[in-house]
Amino acid sequence: SERIYHELRELSWYYEDVLVHIRKDKVAFRAQLDIVFPGYDTLFEDLYGSVSMAIIEKYPHPEMIENKSVNTVSKLIQKKTCHHEATSKVKAIKAIEFSKTVYSGCNKDDIEVIILKRLIDNLKAHLNEAEAIINEMIHLAQDLPNFEIIRSIPGIGDNLAARILAELGDISRFKKFSQLVAYVGVDPRINESGQEDGQHLHITKKGNKRLRCLLYLAVTCALRLKTDNNKIKEFYIKKMQQSNPMCSKAAKIACVNKLVRIIHNMCKN
């Protein structure tokens, strides 16, 4: 188990480093795309989806696709994605018609197009690497006894459960839930002086920053769900509707504290 936790932690840190590169790649890609193919990011709901990336990788300049037949572009979409012929034709027509209305900031043989192609290659490489890392993490985490327990909590899937376990480590070393709360860094800061009682203060933020961010993400995901028996969402509503209501962010931090207690009790019992 110690070896698995160690490997999970190392993979988690590497995964976060790859995510940093992905964010940088996306910023550079969007900036270059605005020059070469303005407005392309509004053409599809997901710019980084399989259909969008397949088209822009093959036809990075509007002049390259505007004279192509619908069947040619449709076959490309079918080859790169799992869409049926009818859906592929609709998306192909949409892309071809849009390219005819676009005025690019460069010619199709200019260096800007070459740079865009390289940025697409870098982005795809980092996305594939991130997917491979998280799959390996999930495969390792599945052998741990607490993986299924954490994954059963609303708002936490395979990805998040593996990353939480990577930062949490062996939970048996925390004898009390207060120790785990302190490790996460969501325990209230103590500052008593004179008439001040030290209550309702900011959290200490002295614990594991990565784990705190992951648990905050888990709370955010749980609040979006519309399932029954969602204790995190019920607790959030309670904090927002109490006599002295909290702001949304403070209520979410309180939910993180609640989630830590839930995880500790579920894994212990």
Side-chain angles (χ1 to χ4, degrees):
S1 296
E2 291 181 1
R3 180 187 61 81
I4 294 177
Y5 285 122
H6 172 71
E7 291 180 1
L8 273 177
R9 188 174 294 109
E10 292 296 324
L11 285 171
S12 178
W13 294 352
Y14 180 43
Y15 179 74
E16 290 188 5
D17 183 59
V18 174
L19 291 183
V20 172
H21 288 290
I22 289 175
R23 286 192 287 269
K24 291 181 179 179
D25 290 342
K26 286 183 176 181
V27 171
F29 169 66
R30 292 290 292 267
Q32 196 68 15
L33 189 65
D34 287 339
I35 298 173
V36 181
F37 210 137
Y40 184 81
D41 54 338
T42 63
L43 190 57
F44 300 101
E45 292 182 2
D46 184 8
L47 176 60
Y48 307 104
S50 57
V51 175
S52 175
M53 293 303 292
I55 293 176
I56 196 64
E57 183 181 12
K58 182 69 174 179
Y59 310 110
H61 194 278
E63 292 181 7
M64 296 179 177
I65 187 176
E66 63 182 4
N67 295 323
K68 296 293 180 181
S69 66
V70 175
N71 289 334
T72 301
V73 180
S74 176
K75 288 179 180 179
L76 171 68
I77 296 174
Q78 291 182 68
K79 182 179 178 181
K80 297 288 186 178
T81 67
C82 58
H83 290 293
H84 296 294
E85 183 179 356
T87 305
S88 300
K89 283 187 176 181
V90 171
K91 295 184 179 297
I93 292 172
K94 186 178 181 180
I96 293 171
E97 293 300 323
F98 179 78
S99 65
K100 296 177 181 178
T101 64
V102 174
Y103 184 78
S104 177
C106 63
N107 296 321
K108 62 180 181 180
D109 297 325
D110 289 348
I111 187 64
E112 287 83 357
V113 179
I114 298 175
I115 293 174
L116 180 61
K117 289 181 178 180
R118 291 176 180 174
L119 290 173
I120 293 172
D121 292 338
N122 291 339
L123 178 58
K124 287 186 64 179
H126 282 132
L127 288 172
N128 292 334
E129 187 175 10
E131 184 178 2
I133 294 170
I134 200 63
N135 288 337
E136 186 175 357
M137 288 180 64
I138 293 172
H139 178 71
L140 284 173
Q142 286 174 342
D143 295 331
L144 298 173
N146 295 326
F147 176 76
E148 290 296 334
I149 295 175
I150 294 177
R151 195 177 69 89
S152 67
I153 299 173
I156 300 180
D158 291 345
N159 184 322
L160 205 49
R163 295 174 67 189
I164 289 174
L165 271 175
E167 297 298 334
L168 186 61
D170 187 3
I171 199 171
S172 62
R173 71 183 193 274
F174 300 104
K175 303 303 180 183
K176 300 178 180 178
F177 68 80
S178 57
Q179 295 174 337
L180 181 55
V181 169
Y183 178 71
V184 178
V186 290
D187 50 329
R189 187 183 303 164
I190 299 175
N191 185 17
E192 297 182 1
S193 177
Q195 299 298 322
E196 298 293 334
D197 59 3
Q199 297 179 356
H200 306 296
L201 298 177
H202 296 286
I203 58 176
T204 59
K205 294 186 179 180
K206 289 186 177 180
N208 189 321
K209 180 181 179 181
R210 293 185 178 91
L211 181 56
R212 187 164 60 250
C213 292
L214 292 172
L215 293 173
Y216 187 86
L217 177 61
V219 167
T220 304
C221 294
L223 295 179
R224 294 175 182 172
L225 298 177
K226 297 181 180 180
T227 56
D228 297 330
N229 197 26
N230 190 339
K231 299 299 181 183
I232 298 299
K233 191 170 185 178
E234 292 175 5
F235 187 75
Y236 175 81
I237 295 173
K238 176 183 176 182
K239 290 297 179 182
M240 294 290 288
Q241 295 179 350
Q242 62 187 11
S243 58
N244 183 21
M246 291 182 172
C247 66
S248 179
K249 186 175 182 180
K252 288 180 180 178
I253 295 297
C255 289
V256 172
N257 192 302
K258 179 76 170 178
L259 180 59
V260 171
R261 294 166 183 255
I262 290 174
I263 291 175
H264 183 271
N265 289 329
M266 289 179 67
C267 294
K268 284 288 186 179
N269 304 314

